[in-house]
Amino acid sequence: MDLLYTNVRPAELKRIDTPQAADAFIEAQVEALKAQIGNEKVLLALSGGVDSSVCAALLIKAIGKNLVCVHVNHGLLRKGEPEQVVSVFRDELGAELIYVDAVDRFLDKLVDVSDPEKKRHIIGAEFIRVFEEEARKLAGSVKFLGQGTIYPDILESADGIKAHHNVGGLPDDLQFELTEPVKLLYKDEVRMVGKQLGLPDTMVYRQPFPGPGLGVRCLGAITRDRLEALREADAIVREEFANAGLEGKVWQYFAIVPDMRVTGIRNGKRAYDWMVVIRAVNSIDATSASVPQLDWSLLETMRDRILNEVAGVCRVAYDLSPKPIACIECE
Ligand code: XMP
């Protein structure tokens, strides 16, 4: 079965909906990758998202140390994410992992930038620049570029719905051949394969997370202290959803911190602090979304923890807005 050289899902590739089917896919794909790559090296941008993580785990199984992963920490990842990528891939799976601490570089570029589109553009462009720098250091010694393309990306490109953007934006003088080991799989199949490869559930069932990360949830011009408050509040929201057994049941849930202050009273004195907005949505394909009716006790637990544990926050709200009219993200 031609798993690496076609963009059309072959009829022989049955739905991967059981652990056995995932194991069979892994076995076939590992052989195909070995044949394609031989003794060459592969470079992969590893974000910690499910697609790139499964792609990396498959490549490690096929070529081991000949996979070079680059994880760029742009400072806009959620609490614990960069550490988890390093611990899973470098420590547990023994990957060759280049960790790039680009936090200052990104946050310095974002100072006083409040326009959402400008923020997105700066984050996207800087990401490509950092990755390109790493790729240049390795150019010559690396023949392939690995990508976590999945089948809906290919279908959408073919339909002209959206250009399939790869980590690319890489300049033409950096010549790589592509290897895309999960490009014939749908998202649920990628998850099943990831699970069989032994990746942790927090990675396999990770909710959708925008490329610009917390950058589009720390509304307006990002400041380091407000970004930290957001990261802490977001961690509490995720933890309490998990405690309530809602992980994987609600499509997306997160915190937002608008660029404004509100009054409150703390220890008998006036406070003038931030407000955390909790956002949760259910959706099938993100084109529309509804707001789940959460248990009041869950909302109260999150509220109490955020008010008590997150410095600089004196108010918590729950966003009731469906998409449309609201978008899932605020920026
Ligand atoms: P909106 O805000 O458009 O979001 O209703 C729809 C879905 O897309 C996610 N999203 C992004 N994902 N890069 C991504 O990979 C992005 O720049 C981006 N912006 C939004 C959002 O989280 C939601 O799931």
Side-chain angles (χ1 to χ4, degrees):
M1 204 189 324
D2 183 2
L3 292 172
L4 285 165
Y5 294 98
T6 179
N7 274 356
V8 180
R9 191 170 158 123
E12 312 94 272
L13 181 56
K14 299 276 179 270
R15 282 266 316 140
I16 300 174
D17 50 8
T18 59
Q20 294 74 22
D23 288 341
F25 172 83
I26 292 166
E27 198 179 313
Q29 193 61 310
V30 164
E31 286 316 306
L33 286 168
K34 281 183 178 161
Q36 182 195 32
I37 298 161
N39 215 15
E40 301 290 343
K41 284 187 185 279
V42 178
L43 175 65
L44 178 80
L46 182 59
S47 64
V50 60
D51 303 339
S52 68
S53 297
V54 172
C55 185
L58 266 174
L59 282 161
I60 291 167
K61 211 169 163 63
I63 62 167
K65 292 276 184 199
N66 277 340
L67 173 69
V68 183
C69 299
V70 175
H71 178 61
V72 178
N73 181 0
H74 53 24
L76 304 166
L77 295 169
R78 290 172 294 186
K79 188 172 178 178
E81 278 187 326
E83 294 83 356
Q84 185 184 42
V85 169
V86 172
S87 103
V88 169
F89 286 96
R90 188 186 281 165
D91 305 342
E92 287 173 34
L93 298 178
E96 216 39 67
L97 174 74
I98 299 170
Y99 170 79
V100 188
D101 179 346
V103 175
D104 288 338
R105 197 170 153 164
F106 278 81
L107 296 187
D108 288 349
K109 278 231 150 55
L110 287 164
V111 168
D112 291 335
V113 182
S114 56
D115 179 75
E117 291 308 307
K118 276 200 191 125
K119 285 165 71 176
R120 281 174 175 274
H121 178 78
I122 289 170
I123 298 165
E126 196 60 18
F127 187 87
I128 290 169
R129 221 164 285 139
V130 173
F131 187 69
E132 186 196 315
E133 282 172 20
E134 296 305 319
R136 269 194 200 285
K137 289 182 203 160
L138 296 162
S141 66
V142 172
K143 184 169 174 191
F144 290 91
L145 184 68
Q147 291 203 141
T149 312
I150 65 171
Y151 202 47
D153 298 332
I154 289 180
L155 295 178
E156 284 178 3
S157 295
D159 287 348
I161 294 172
K162 68 173 179 195
H164 165 55
H165 74 98
N166 41 42
V167 248
L170 284 180
D172 290 341
D173 63 326
L174 289 179
Q175 301 281 343
F176 292 109
E177 285 179 36
L178 276 187
T179 183
E180 301 175 292
V182 292
K183 71 175 176 180
L184 297 176
L185 306 191
Y186 288 97
K187 195 81 169 188
D188 59 318
E189 299 179 304
V190 176
R191 293 194 207 279
M192 182 78 77
V193 168
K195 185 118 184 104
Q196 288 309 105
L197 285 165
L199 292 177
D201 280 2
T202 44
M203 235 168 213
V204 169
Y205 298 108
R206 188 184 192 251
Q207 31 168 330
F209 187 58
L214 299 181
V216 293
R217 297 176 182 169
C218 188
L219 307 187
I222 297 168
T223 58
R224 290 182 188 237
D225 49 0
R226 197 157 52 85
L227 179 62
E228 260 346 283
L230 168 62
R231 207 185 318 269
E232 289 302 319
D234 181 75
I236 291 172
V237 170
R238 286 189 291 136
E239 210 174 296
E240 291 305 330
F241 267 75
N243 289 343
L246 294 175
E247 209 170 24
K249 296 203 173 123
V250 173
W251 163 273
Q252 230 174 333
Y253 41 92
F254 52 88
I256 299 156
V257 184
D259 184 14
M260 61 183 244
R261 290 188 181 263
V262 289
T263 50
I265 305 166
R266 186 176 286 113
N267 301 327
K269 289 201 183 119
R270 178 180 191 268
Y272 192 48
D273 286 339
W274 298 304
M275 172 167 77
V276 166
V277 179
I278 299 170
R279 178 92 168 122
V281 292
N282 276 322
S283 179
I284 292 172
D285 56 7
T287 56
S288 64
S290 61
V291 178
Q293 278 189 25
L294 297 182
D295 266 358
W296 193 248
S297 60
L298 169 60
L299 287 166
E300 284 180 332
T301 304
M302 291 191 287
R303 174 201 64 193
D304 290 346
R305 285 198 57 197
I306 290 168
L307 291 178
N308 286 320
E309 296 173 33
V310 185
V313 173
C314 72
R315 193 174 295 244
V316 176
Y318 183 47
D319 186 340
L320 294 179
S321 326
K323 176 180 182 177
I325 294 175
C327 279
I328 294 176
E329 306 289 346
C330 283
E331 286 193 336

